[in-house]
Amino acid sequence: MILKKILNVGVIRPLRGIKLQTQSQAIRLISCDRKSYPKILITGGLGQLGTECAKLLRSAYGEEHVILSDIIKPSDEIVNSGPYIFADILDFKGLQKIVVNHRIDWIIHFSALLSAIGEQNVPLAVRVNIEGLHNVIELAKQYKLRVFVPSTIGAFGPDSPRNPTPNVTIQRPRTIYGVSKVHGELIGEYYHHKFGLDFRCLRFPGVISSDPPGGGTTDYAVAIFFDALKTGKYECYLKPDTRLPMMYIDDCLRSLHEFMITPPEKLKRRVYNVTAMSFTPEELANELANYVPELHVSYKPDTRQLIADSWPQVFDDSEARRDWGWEHKYDLKKLVELMVNDVMENYVKKERKHYTDSVV
Ligand code: SER
């Protein structure tokens, strides 16, 4: 009741989507004034997670508190939705300037080449995923920033237990993406123990959203929605029974935010597995067939099959659930419903309208 009253005072919006575990936590969160909200820089901001992450954090901390950055020229929509700047993670001085000029408190470091594309350009993956991370970690140490770096199911390999894959086990990945992510986990933990760096890292499964990922092994689980809803067909590059852990983007970003605001004393480690579900292409296609009854999926495995075969099938995220209360909201059924609506409304119908308008 008291909590409700405080929330209703309307001084500051309660944090969207955040489960307030205790009344005192809620009061602490909302009684600080807007100026004490963190100033956040997101690198690799125009990848799969950046714009939605900025949306979530801006709704919690205010538009001006979240700066999206990348080396890509932004669309009007991006520029109109909040601060956007150029940032090259390979340029240490440039990053330093941004941190100083914008008085950054948190860095969310999304820049990385994913698993499949990384194999096609190993030297670039080394530069972006390893050298870029070194810059960010060193900067975070110098300016005492809280830094978030996503890791992945790809940080495991053929020697790891696959069902389930616990938080601490053999890793030894066989992709440059996985190797760079294990390196990131270890160097972040090292800086934490040696220099007190507030390093936070979640190992994400395949993330599903209507913003397309670029060059991952789990990308099929996004592409299938676009192809199925546009053409009724999909050719899958993984075998029908390839089981991989997955998560809807809202769960993924909520886990990131909840983890970032967890008081340090609750964190028993700095790297946690998180997940929501596991499914195979066949199971996803069966669920999607409820919306596209004529759906025809064919299977033509390529080199990504080898990568998927070395990854976890079921991810054990019980430590995240125990230590900081992680709980997913979206299962396969809900995920498919949301993706069908989103892709239909925001892509397929718009494209059809564009086509009709240009023909008329
Ligand atoms: N989605 C990533 C990939 O497939 C895994 O983290 O590379």
Side-chain angles (χ1 to χ4, degrees):
M1 196 58 191
I2 299 171
L3 172 60
K4 205 167 168 220
K5 264 196 197 147
I6 295 168
L7 291 174
N8 282 340
V9 171
V11 183
I12 288 166
R13 276 168 294 170
L15 301 180
R16 198 187 77 162
I18 295 301
K19 197 180 56 202
L20 300 170
Q21 278 161 347
T22 62
Q23 198 164 298
S24 63
Q25 191 189 353
I27 293 167
R28 231 186 14 255
L29 283 171
I30 60 176
S31 62
C32 52
D33 73 31
R34 198 161 265 268
K35 285 201 197 84
S36 64
Y37 282 172
K39 201 81 194 283
I40 305 167
L41 175 70
I42 301 178
T43 71
L46 297 191
Q48 185 191 12
L49 304 179
T51 51
E52 287 303 310
C53 183
K55 239 186 247 168
L56 174 73
L57 297 176
R58 282 172 181 156
S59 76
Y61 303 120
E63 198 176 297
E64 297 303 314
H65 278 247
V66 181
I67 303 175
L68 203 56
S69 75
D70 210 311
I71 55 170
I72 299 170
K73 198 170 161 189
S75 63
D76 290 348
E77 200 188 330
I78 296 289
V79 170
N80 294 334
S81 62
Y84 179 87
I85 58 171
F86 172 89
D88 178 359
I89 52 145
L90 295 174
D91 171 15
F92 185 78
K93 276 218 160 305
L95 286 181
Q96 210 173 8
K97 210 165 144 186
I98 293 169
V99 169
V100 170
N101 289 351
H102 294 275
R103 305 181 65 223
I104 297 299
D105 302 298
W106 295 3
I107 295 193
I108 298 187
H109 179 50
F110 283 147
S111 309
L113 263 66
L114 295 183
S115 57
I117 196 101
E119 293 311 290
Q120 287 161 28
N121 196 340
V122 175
L124 183 64
V126 168
R127 292 200 72 206
V128 174
N129 295 12
I130 300 180
E131 289 172 34
L133 177 80
H134 287 173
N135 285 339
V136 167
I137 292 264
E138 187 51 37
L139 198 69
K141 178 195 127 203
Q142 280 183 22
Y143 292 95
K144 300 194 173 9
L145 313 179
R146 184 170 297 179
V147 61
F148 177 85
V149 180
S151 186
T152 161
I153 48 171
F156 296 91
D159 299 326
S160 312
R162 298 179 67 210
N163 188 350
T165 306
N167 220 96
V168 177
T169 186
I170 298 165
Q171 295 194 249
R172 315 196 77 79
R174 296 267 177 94
T175 61
I176 190 61
Y177 172 62
V179 169
S180 69
K181 287 296 181 180
V182 174
H183 171 71
E185 294 177 3
L186 293 177
I187 201 158
E189 284 182 353
Y190 172 77
Y191 268 62
H192 171 68
H193 294 301
K194 174 109 180 164
F195 305 113
L197 174 68
D198 194 350
F199 170 79
R200 301 182 184 216
C201 173
L202 294 178
R203 292 190 190 117
F204 290 137
V207 178
I208 295 157
S209 66
S210 59
D211 281 335
T217 301
T218 57
D219 293 13
Y220 88 86
V222 171
I224 192 171
F225 287 96
F226 285 86
D227 285 18
L229 291 166
K230 282 182 197 165
T231 67
K233 287 190 237 158
Y234 180 65
E235 186 179 275
C236 186
Y237 56 78
L238 296 180
K239 289 192 225 152
D241 60 349
T242 311
R243 184 171 302 284
L244 289 167
M246 300 278 181
M247 188 180 219
Y248 184 55
I249 187 164
D250 286 19
D251 269 343
C252 167
L253 297 175
R254 190 170 48 80
S255 73
L256 184 162
H257 188 203
E258 289 181 0
F259 183 49
M260 283 299 270
I261 59 172
T262 298
E265 60 276 13
K266 282 198 167 179
L267 301 180
K268 297 220 168 53
R269 53 179 74 257
R270 291 285 157 166
V271 180
Y272 285 93
N273 293 353
V274 285
T275 191
M277 64 192 104
S278 279
F279 56 73
T280 66
E282 194 168 42
E283 286 164 1
L284 178 59
N286 286 342
E287 189 59 38
L288 186 50
N290 293 326
Y291 300 85
V292 188
E294 307 297 304
L295 177 63
H296 178 73
V297 180
S298 54
Y299 296 92
K300 199 174 166 203
D302 65 18
T303 51
R304 286 169 283 191
Q305 184 68 48
L306 292 174
I307 298 178
D309 286 344
S310 74
W311 281 3
Q313 294 177 319
V314 175
F315 221 26
D316 175 358
D317 61 359
S318 52
E319 295 202 17
R321 290 171 193 265
R322 180 197 66 202
D323 292 354
W324 47 276
W326 165 239
E327 266 175 43
H328 69 277
K329 279 194 187 150
Y330 300 95
D331 59 9
L332 178 59
K333 206 171 160 45
K334 194 78 195 138
L335 164 95
V336 171
E337 184 192 328
L338 288 168
M339 282 294 289
V340 166
N341 287 337
D342 188 1
V343 173
M344 205 60 203
E345 291 305 316
N346 297 315
Y347 297 88
V348 180
K349 280 190 186 164
K350 278 189 187 159
E351 229 169 72
R352 280 184 197 149
K353 185 172 178 320
H354 180 74
Y355 177 74
T356 321
D357 291 349
S358 60
V359 170
V360 175

